[in-house]
């Protein structure tokens, strides 16, 4: 048996808030909209990963989601410009990432990161 995909499911009473955060601000594509569930994604190949942690690193709480981007500064500007409070960072971490934390409209802690080259 091989795991083909891992999907994060977030309970949300307001799907429009999800569209604003994940589609409009983060730039994910709307892959499916059934009225009661919306799925966002990107038409790229991704590695299947599931992280289990006792802490979030550098003394931070464990985030609910981690989203890797190609331009952290652009993501930071998009979040700040949308009035989303930054809860941590941006910070250069000793394990080779630069990241910041925000909360999505459903109070999920989201780690937005880029791997440093």
């Amino acid at each position: 048996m091989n795991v083909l995909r891992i999907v994060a499911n977030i309970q949300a009473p307001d799907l429009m808030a999800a569209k604003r955060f994940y589609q409009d601000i983060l730039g994910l594509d709307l892959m499916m909209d059934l009225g009661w569930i919306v799925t966002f994604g990107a038409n790229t190949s991704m590695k299947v990963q599931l992280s289990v942690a006792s802490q979030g690193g550098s003394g931070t709480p464990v985030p609910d989601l981690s989203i890797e981007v190609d331009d952290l500064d652009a993501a930071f500007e998009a979040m700040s410009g949308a009035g989303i409070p930054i809860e941590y960072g941006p910070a250069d971490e000793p394990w080779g990432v630069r990241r910041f934390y925000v909360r999505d409209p459903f109070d999920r802690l989201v780690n937005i990161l880029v791997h440093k080259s």
Side-chain angles (χ1 to χ4, degrees):
M1 186 223 27
N2 294 307
V3 174
L4 300 178
R5 182 169 60 150
I6 296 173
V7 175
N9 296 303
I10 298 170
Q11 182 177 351
D14 183 357
L15 299 182
M16 290 307 294
K19 286 181 179 182
R20 180 175 177 266
F21 186 86
Y22 289 103
Q23 184 177 21
D24 298 344
I25 298 171
L26 275 175
L28 289 171
D29 296 325
L30 180 64
M31 309 294 283
M32 179 182 72
D33 185 346
L34 299 179
W36 57 272
I37 184 173
V38 291
T39 300
F40 304 97
N43 193 21
T44 60
S45 296
M46 298 181 201
K47 295 179 182 174
V48 174
Q49 292 182 296
L50 174 67
S51 296
V52 179
S54 62
Q55 55 120 339
S58 297
T60 65
V62 176
D64 296 296
L65 297 171
S66 290
I67 299 175
E68 184 177 354
V69 297
D70 63 353
D71 186 337
L72 192 77
D73 293 332
F76 183 82
E77 288 177 24
M79 288 293 168
S80 298
I84 308 291
I86 308 302
E87 294 208 5
Y88 174 75
D92 292 309
E93 302 293 5
W95 55 90
V97 301
R98 182 165 173 73
R99 67 183 181 155
F100 66 92
Y101 283 4
V102 294
R103 290 208 178 263
D104 77 0
F106 318 108
D107 205 34
R108 302 290 185 200
L109 188 60
V110 181
N111 173 30
I112 302 191
L113 69 117
V114 67
H115 281 89
K116 297 188 297 185
S117 304

